[in-house]
Amino acid sequence: MGILVLKFGGTSVANVERINHVADIVIKKRKEGHSVAVVVSAMGAETDRLVELAQAINSDPHPREYACLVSTGEQVSMALLALALMAKGQKARSYTGKQAKILTDDNHRKARIIEMDVEHIKQDLDAGEVVVVAGFQGYNRRGDITTLGRGGSDTSAVALAAKLNADECQIYTDVDGVYTADPRVVLDARRMERVTFEEMLELASLGAKVLQIRAVEFAGKYNVPLRVLSSFEEGPGTLITYEEKNMENPIVSGVAYNRNEAKVTIRGVPDRPGVANHILGPVSSAGIEVDMIIQNISEDGCTDFTFTINREDYKATIDILERTASELGAREVLGDIKSRNYRL
Ligand code: ADP
Ligand code: ASP
Ligand code: MG
């Protein structure tokens, strides 16, 4: 059997119990006969804590020092996971980005990977070891630490999978796959079995942070099959690949190409916590299914909120939104039922 690259995000390695659980998942894959390389993120919200620390000390942290600081979270996780694996009898070895020879450009906050030399990692895998690589970090030609941008462990994992020619790159997270919209915001969003790289790029560029956009680009470029799945419960997750030829029933996600939708926008809403609920609550109580939603960055304390619904529900939604707009003191409600390809 071939190589699997497994990536575990922050919530999946948030504490000792979760790390032990991750070790169990890894060992299970080994028992099934796969060689396994793992990429880990920092524990829980550790990276946020480090970013805040930097900010508290210096409102404009120098990028070199910033990268040096915020990359430390991953080093903790990688060593802990290697230790957890060893405690369970599985040989393991952890690598920082530099040890894993992930060479990047000089952009310390959002570096791009230039090259990666995986010969030593391959040797470890051949020797039956599990390799654990710190996500999010690389180094530049000077030998300084760089980081790959927030959410960058996804890109570390895909790059490693591409270089190792892995059978699949599995992104374990706190949701059980890719949904038509963020399942934490849109409660009736649907999990998709399969998505193409193009569709996933579209979703990521609409703000679905389930995968870093660069990771999707990379996976598409090197044709690395990607799977998003939960580290909390077993399941098939969502497979992201090129569309298979001759698929009898091609499953179109309908994310950005649903031609049966209308778009509505409520503009100039005071940006307070809970505002999304205030807007979407009455819509969903009326039995109207919301598909894509997007909330713009707040300007002068106000935000614009756009979402799509089935064309049949257009009129009812506008009526509801007019009421909500006056309750919230929003500027106006706009609707669009004419265009058919929405890119929010
Ligand atoms: P990790 O720490 O594992 O990298 P992230 O927080 O970066 O996890 O990404 C997972 C989160 O992405 C989920 O908790 C979910 O709220 C959010 N998300 C946004 N859009 C989507 C989507 N379309 N499908 C699934 N999850 C999404
Ligand atoms: N720990 C980094 C972050 O929070 C990288 C990652 O999790 O992908 O952005
Ligand atoms: Mg992430």
Side-chain angles (χ1 to χ4, degrees), residues 7-12 41-42 44 151 153-154 171-185 189-190 192 200 203 207-212 228:
K7 178 259 172 177
F8 294 90
T11 35
S12 302
S41 292
S153 298
D154 296 335
I171 308 284
Y172 285 82
T173 183
D174 53 7
V175 280
D176 64 348
V178 178
Y179 280 68
T180 47
D182 187 341
R184 288 186 206 293
V185 184
R190 300 180 312 275
M192 296 178 278
M200 192 60 228
L203 250 185
K209 68 158 190 163
V210 62
L211 284 174
Q212 198 196 35
V228 173

Side-chain angles (χ1 to χ4, degrees), residues 63-64 66-72 97-98 102-114 134-149 156:
R64 181 181 181 279
Y66 169 90
C68 196
L69 173 69
V70 304
S71 63
T72 57
K98 188 170 181 182
I102 303 173
L103 182 69
T104 74
D105 62 19
D106 294 327
N107 188 341
H108 287 276
R109 280 173 178 268
K110 210 173 177 190
R112 280 190 183 272
I113 297 174
I114 297 173
F136 183 50
Q137 50 175 271
Y139 73 109
N140 65 9
R141 289 197 200 278
R142 282 179 50 114
D144 293 333
I145 296 173
T146 56
T147 54
L148 307 179
S156 311

Side-chain angles (χ1 to χ4, degrees), residues 100-101 116-123 160 163-164:
K101 301 190 181 157
M116 204 169 166
D117 172 3
V118 293
E119 278 319 303
H120 53 313
I121 290 181
K122 274 192 184 148
Q123 281 168 18
L160 185 59
K163 264 292 184 185
L164 290 172

Side-chain angles (χ1 to χ4, degrees), residues 49-332:
R49 187 184 75 87
L50 295 166
V51 170
E52 279 164 26
L53 259 181
Q55 209 65 37
I57 290 274
N58 184 329
S59 59
D60 184 21
H62 189 283
R64 181 181 181 279
E65 308 311 323
Y66 169 90
C68 196
L69 173 69
V70 304
S71 63
T72 57
E74 273 70 11
Q75 192 168 333
V76 172
S77 315
M78 76 183 206
L80 287 177
L81 179 58
L83 290 171
L85 286 163
M86 289 172 187
K88 291 175 187 285
Q90 168 62 55
K91 286 191 288 179
R93 191 186 297 256
S94 71
Y95 288 92
T96 63
K98 188 170 181 182
Q99 289 171 325
K101 301 190 181 157
I102 303 173
L103 182 69
T104 74
D105 62 19
D106 294 327
N107 188 341
H108 287 276
R109 280 173 178 268
K110 210 173 177 190
R112 280 190 183 272
I113 297 174
I114 297 173
E115 197 177 282
M116 204 169 166
D117 172 3
V118 293
E119 278 319 303
H120 53 313
I121 290 181
K122 274 192 184 148
Q123 281 168 18
D124 292 348
L125 294 178
D126 286 345
E129 297 207 35
V130 166
V131 169
V132 185
V133 178
F136 183 50
Q137 50 175 271
Y139 73 109
N140 65 9
R141 289 197 200 278
R142 282 179 50 114
D144 293 333
I145 296 173
T146 56
T147 54
L148 307 179
R150 296 305 307 266
S153 298
D154 296 335
T155 302
S156 311
V158 173
L160 185 59
K163 264 292 184 185
L164 290 172
N165 212 356
D167 291 339
E168 205 168 276
C169 179
Q170 304 190 334
I171 308 284
Y172 285 82
T173 183
D174 53 7
V175 280
D176 64 348
V178 178
Y179 280 68
T180 47
D182 187 341
R184 288 186 206 293
V185 184
V186 180
L187 294 180
D188 52 7
R190 300 180 312 275
R191 183 176 65 82
M192 296 178 278
E193 284 290 316
R194 296 179 80 114
V195 198
T196 65
F197 289 121
E198 291 86 353
E199 287 166 328
M200 192 60 228
L201 262 186
E202 184 101 16
L203 250 185
S205 63
L206 293 172
K209 68 158 190 163
V210 62
L211 284 174
Q212 198 196 35
I213 193 159
R214 279 186 182 173
V216 184
E217 283 167 1
F218 220 100
K221 187 165 169 193
Y222 295 99
N223 199 1
V224 179
L226 262 179
R227 191 183 291 275
V228 173
L229 63 185
S230 167
S231 67
F232 292 77
E233 52 186 299
E234 284 195 29
T238 298
L239 181 66
I240 305 147
T241 53
Y242 281 111
E243 199 125 31
E244 269 175 31
K245 289 193 189 96
N246 308 325
M247 253 204 321
E248 272 191 35
N249 295 310
I251 300 158
V252 177
S253 68
V255 170
Y257 301 104
N258 190 337
R259 291 170 176 272
N260 208 19
E261 292 200 321
K263 179 171 84 166
V264 289
T265 300
I266 172 161
R267 293 194 55 210
V269 189
D271 195 4
R272 293 192 293 264
V275 74
N277 258 340
H278 196 139
I279 296 170
L280 295 176
V283 176
S284 86
S285 304
I288 297 170
E289 213 180 300
V290 172
D291 192 359
M292 297 178 272
I293 64 173
I294 188 160
Q295 184 171 357
N296 284 349
I297 296 165
S298 177
E299 244 178 67
D300 304 320
C302 279
T303 181
D304 296 345
F305 202 95
T306 301
F307 57 93
T308 62
I309 42 157
N310 196 294
R311 293 167 76 84
E312 284 168 18
D313 297 321
Y314 180 67
K315 175 79 177 57
T317 309
I318 294 280
D319 290 345
I320 293 169
L321 279 193
E322 296 283 9
R323 281 198 294 278
T324 311
S326 64
E327 284 165 22
L328 289 171
R331 206 174 310 133
E332 62 182 330

